[in-house]
Amino acid sequence: MKRYEQLAQSIAGLIRSGSLQPGQRIPSVRMASRTYKVSPSTVFRAYYHLENLGLIHARPQSGYFVTSLSEHALPEVPQAPEDAGSTSVAVSELVFSVLKAMRESKQAPLGSAFPGPGLFPMQRLARSMAKATRLMDLDSVVADLAPGNLNLRRQIAVRYGIGGVSVPVEDILVTDGALEALNLCLQAVTEPGDLVAIEAPAFYACLQVLERLKLQAVPIPVDPRNGIDLDALARALEHHDIRACWFMTNFQNPTGVSLSAERKRELVELLHRHQVPLVEDDVYGELYYGSQAPVTTKAFDRDGLVMHCSSFSKCLAPGYRVGWVAAGRYAEAIQRLKLMTTLSASVPAQAAIADYLEFGGYDRHLRSLRARLESQKHQMFAAIDRHFPADVRFTRPAGGYFLWLELPGQVDTLTLFQRAAEAGISLAPGPMFSATRDFRHCLRLNYGHPWTAELDQVMARLGALVAAN
Amino acid sequence: MKRYEQLAQSIAGLIRSGSLQPGQRIPSVRMASRTYKVSPSTVFRAYYHLENLGLIHARPQSGYFVTSLSEHALPEVPQAPEDAGSTSVAVSELVFSVLKAMRESKQAPLGSAFPGPGLFPMQRLARSMAKATRLMDLDSVVADLAPGNLNLRRQIAVRYGIGGVSVPVEDILVTDGALEALNLCLQAVTEPGDLVAIEAPAFYACLQVLERLKLQAVPIPVDPRNGIDLDALARALEHHDIRACWFMTNFQNPTGVSLSAERKRELVELLHRHQVPLVEDDVYGELYYGSQAPVTTKAFDRDGLVMHCSSFSKCLAPGYRVGWVAAGRYAEAIQRLKLMTTLSASVPAQAAIADYLEFGGYDRHLRSLRARLESQKHQMFAAIDRHFPADVRFTRPAGGYFLWLELPGQVDTLTLFQRAAEAGISLAPGPMFSATRDFRHCLRLNYGHPWTAELDQVMARLGALVAAN
């Protein structure tokens, strides 16, 4: 480790332990240079690094200060109805109009659902693609239709194995991204009119799938600290004939929060008691910060009730449209649905990713990606700290690249969305994520793009728009 | 043109004009060598070529004979019910069990739905893929989601234009193969319980889609000479509240027959009068024999009722899973459904095919593919002539690679399928193609694989099984 990195680490330790308090001024460069017996340029590089991590920020003429996040409490837990009701879903018009507005202007991508494409090893993947396509067995173009490329499915099974979960290769079905997997899973276990427990707030694609399949939503509140409210879920399972759950237990979209391992176990136990299947959307599971991968619900799944859906779109190969489901007892039903709807994921894309997983250095890439996303999170935190009103509250994701903000009660984020759009800024307003158009004063921000001075200015403009409401 | 080719061509002309009758012996090599003033080896090569085309066949010790097809009349027109009824569809179990049996043994691929993979320029495509992936714009991995790669959609529009039809690029939506396009189209214009006019016999995937979407089938007979029975369709449209049609007007799967241009015009007029949309499955349209492309129904479509679905899976890039729909007035609705189900076709596969269409020599490849398929058709005809009972009847496709056989009435092709499977031969039994399990004495044969001595032996064994029934 380099000198400046050591220094940055020890100061970061002081901040994280609370020895240096948020808002506190840290030693001047001259003072630190004397104290730590390093050159002033080493101190500069360390401070620059800490600033990049969002842990400190410079104030003109005044020096460096610890970024204060404690001013911003977490958002409120959404109200859990005493007897959770069910509701039909009609969110598509809103979602499509928001997505259209996002697409039409060259906007800062705070509202986007995707991380910056520059974060992915596209050139290394291109080499895997060239190799895999060149060597592609002629018969594989027919033989590798559903359930999918065997080598790829083996690699996915190995990754489950490394995570401590044994998933038979036969249970893994390759799909056109996780979205297709989720669609097929829900279709396999429901009929039109059935009740499905979802999160509140929920990823809008989940709402759209329910709408398309004419399913009724039973919204379960998501606690911004602890994830899905399991008590509310237990009550809902008691009172309603719920036929499936659709949850994200890791770095949920839009809130960024996760269920702890213990709560995941409780969730699976609860579903086991009621024999209700879980369609799990786990596309962000690989994007954890720190060194410890989150435990997957599959680890507690004794009887194949969990359909664990994921993809490579958010962590390796956006646009390749390669996802999968480890479908437990529903594997055959889902494979049949796949054969009837899209037949197969793109065979070259499957082969390219299989090659990359084997030879490309996936884990090295993931480590670097996680570190960059965490650093971008700190930058985003610091920018909110600098530019937003003090009564803004937001979640503290431990992975992924989404942040959920709660603005002062009088702010309507659908109006804010329009004003921000006029100023060239995209954001994802709260009602997109609700079957009942709740969360009108909430919004989702994407910090999956490399931090730049322009992004900081965008955050300053957005903060001013929020304050002006 | 080489000497032997000239000779072959002039003899083929004599056969086609009827100067040489089916069953007639053609001149011996010595005689022909004298008559045409060419060497015996040139005659041999010419006869070999004609044999490859299926126009003549050798009989041991007897010389060469013109292949006689006239013994085999076309199959019967399926019975058109006086008042066409509607029926719910439950064919999936049968289809899956047949497909499973086909997959499980290393069988001769007469039952397959795919042509031989060796017919496709996989290495040239691999180069396009390597180039396209290497040059892929980072932003395109997000920007090229639905409606799809703009360059590819432009190239598709240009191909419509060359065919004399103006299709706006905005109406073209790239899908995960034609199967997804067909699914989305039908979903866009129907609700569960609605009536859909389909062909009898119909491609089994069509039956499965109806089953999955809980739609009712109104089967319209397919005349083995002229295609869909338009009178029967007119009656059905009068008597039933039909919400959509799903037809293949070119080289229909399973019969191989087409509608003439005039009948296509009539079809579109009929649908226009009733304002009923047509979901057209046109995946074989590019595989016409001869030099004249069939006219597309789109040419007659004044008011955007035709959703013209096709793909590159059967004529260029199997396994890439790139199809499209020119969706007329339904373009936006279908694009929304696509965004809610699979988001996008694989971006590298789209870019690779766009590059190939621009630089790869697609039309040259298609010309060669068409010639090979036509030659394989003649081989198949000749093999039926040699090995099957004389009372077998079959269609005369002018494109594609499927043949529809009608066996003597007492033959049950589900039983034949089992016996053939035991003998290592796959075939597609008639009831797979029927909502009402009709066509029990019919079967579909695939001649999309290069002809070999083994294939001829397989046909001999199959002919013996048919005769033994």
Side-chain angles (χ1 to χ4, degrees), chain A residues 93 176 187 212 319 336 347, chain B residues 93 176 187 212 319 336 347:
Chain A
E93 285 303 324
D176 297 4
Q187 228 177 304
R212 190 177 71 80
R336 287 182 164 205
V347 169
Chain B
E93 285 303 323
D176 297 6
Q187 229 177 304
R212 190 178 70 80
R336 286 182 166 205
V347 170

Side-chain angles (χ1 to χ4, degrees), chain B residues 69 72-76 222-225 252 254-257 377 381 384 393-398 402-406 443 447:
Chain B
L69 294 168
H72 306 293
L74 286 162
E76 284 194 354
V222 174
D223 179 309
R225 245 174 247 277
Q252 195 241 0
T255 64
V257 300
K377 178 186 82 163
F381 280 0
I384 293 171
R393 300 191 283 184
F394 53 90
T395 52
R396 305 288 186 273
F402 291 128
L403 203 61
W404 184 244
L405 270 83
E406 194 180 274
L443 60 88
Y447 55 83

Side-chain angles (χ1 to χ4, degrees), chain A residues 145 176 180 338 340-347, chain B residues 114 152 173-185 246 280-283 308-314 317-326 334 338 342 344-346 349-350 353:
Chain A
L145 302 181
D176 297 4
E180 185 187 40
K338 169 83 180 154
M340 286 194 263
T341 46
T342 58
L343 201 58
S344 160
S346 189
V347 169
Chain B
F114 298 91
L152 177 60
L173 172 67
V174 180
T175 56
D176 297 6
L179 183 58
E180 185 188 41
L182 295 159
N183 265 279
L184 297 179
C185 289
W246 170 323
E280 178 159 35
D281 180 357
D282 193 23
V283 294
H308 185 256
C309 303
S310 190
S311 86
F312 297 99
S313 301
K314 306 289 166 44
Y320 277 54
R321 305 305 301 142
V322 176
W324 75 88
V325 52
I334 294 169
K338 169 81 180 155
T342 57
S344 162
S346 188
Q350 292 185 60
I353 290 180

Side-chain angles (χ1 to χ4, degrees), chain B residues 235-251:
Chain B
R235 284 196 301 276
L237 287 166
E238 286 296 336
H239 291 124
H240 293 287
D241 183 21
I242 289 174
R243 307 313 289 266
C245 299
W246 170 323
F247 295 148
M248 304 184 76
T249 64
N250 294 316
F251 322 124

Side-chain angles (χ1 to χ4, degrees), chain A residues 52-88:
Chain A
N52 268 341
L53 284 172
L55 291 173
I56 66 173
H57 59 277
R59 288 190 195 146
Q61 319 298 332
S62 318
Y64 286 92
F65 292 81
V66 176
T67 298
S68 68
L69 294 169
S70 54
E71 295 163 20
H72 306 294
L74 288 162
E76 284 194 355
V77 182
Q79 200 71 33
E82 268 315 286
D83 173 17
S86 76
T87 173
S88 64

Side-chain angles (χ1 to χ4, degrees), chain A residues 286-304:
Chain A
E286 287 282 19
L287 303 181
Y288 56 88
Y289 310 147
S291 56
Q292 191 65 47
V295 174
T296 161
T297 50
K298 265 280 177 205
F300 310 114
D301 181 29
R302 292 176 269 159
D303 47 4

